Amino acid sequence: MMTTVVGDAVDRARLAVALLDRLEQVTSEHEDQLIRLAELRHARSAHAADTAESSGNATDIDNEEKVARSLEHRRDQIIKALARLRDGTYGTCAACRQPIAPERLLASPAATHCVMCQSAAERRMR
Ligand SMILES: [Zn+2]
């Protein structure tokens, strides 16, 4: 089987669809998360007098805020990927300038490095 390059119009269209799908999913997860946070904050202020319970709630809110931030980060990465897809720089490894395999991009649309450079970077980080 021949490996197709992302420059291929069909692949670009498939990737755009995959990215938009992912964006929609992450955006709605983020919205759900913000609602959950608002409910937690509300519950916490309603029970502010019960000190035993409110200390537990503070940790919950911290954790939920972390989840919200990481969803926000993922959403930003997808938006940046869509911008790169538009200007034609999407799907090129930021380190070695080789095309990133479309299969990898479909699996993780925000990837900026090919598998080889990514695993090399991960090895350096350890
Ligand atoms: Zn690379």
Side-chain angles (χ1 to χ4, degrees):
M1 195 186 97
M2 262 187 56
T3 343
T4 44
V5 183
V6 179
D8 190 289
V10 177
D11 273 335
R12 280 167 60 97
R14 275 171 63 209
L15 285 166
V17 169
L19 282 168
L20 287 168
D21 267 5
R22 198 66 63 96
L23 181 62
E24 199 176 320
Q25 191 191 328
V26 171
T27 303
S28 84
E29 273 178 41
H30 183 239
E31 277 166 11
D32 288 349
Q33 190 60 27
L34 291 182
I35 292 167
R36 195 151 39 230
L37 255 176
E39 282 170 355
L40 272 175
R41 287 206 183 94
H42 180 75
R44 192 189 173 197
S45 60
H47 298 287
D50 314 332
T51 42
E53 244 181 288
S54 63
S55 62
N57 284 341
T59 320
D60 283 353
I61 290 175
D62 275 358
N63 288 335
E64 300 297 325
E65 272 173 353
K66 267 182 214 140
V67 175
R69 269 197 300 276
S70 92
L71 285 168
E72 231 165 279
H73 178 70
R74 273 168 61 194
R75 196 185 53 187
D76 283 353
Q77 284 191 315
I78 297 166
I79 290 169
K80 279 180 196 148
L82 279 164
R84 290 201 299 277
L85 190 66
R86 263 197 303 277
D87 69 21
T89 58
Y90 186 65
T92 302
C93 175
C96 69
R97 301 283 156 202
Q98 294 299 305
I100 302 171
E103 302 76 47
R104 169 164 167 76
L105 290 171
L106 287 169
S108 85
T112 51
H113 291 79
C114 71
V115 179
M116 273 165 68
C117 293
Q118 185 67 48
S119 54
E122 275 165 17
R123 272 200 300 278
R124 275 199 303 274
M125 280 202 283
R126 269 179 220 139

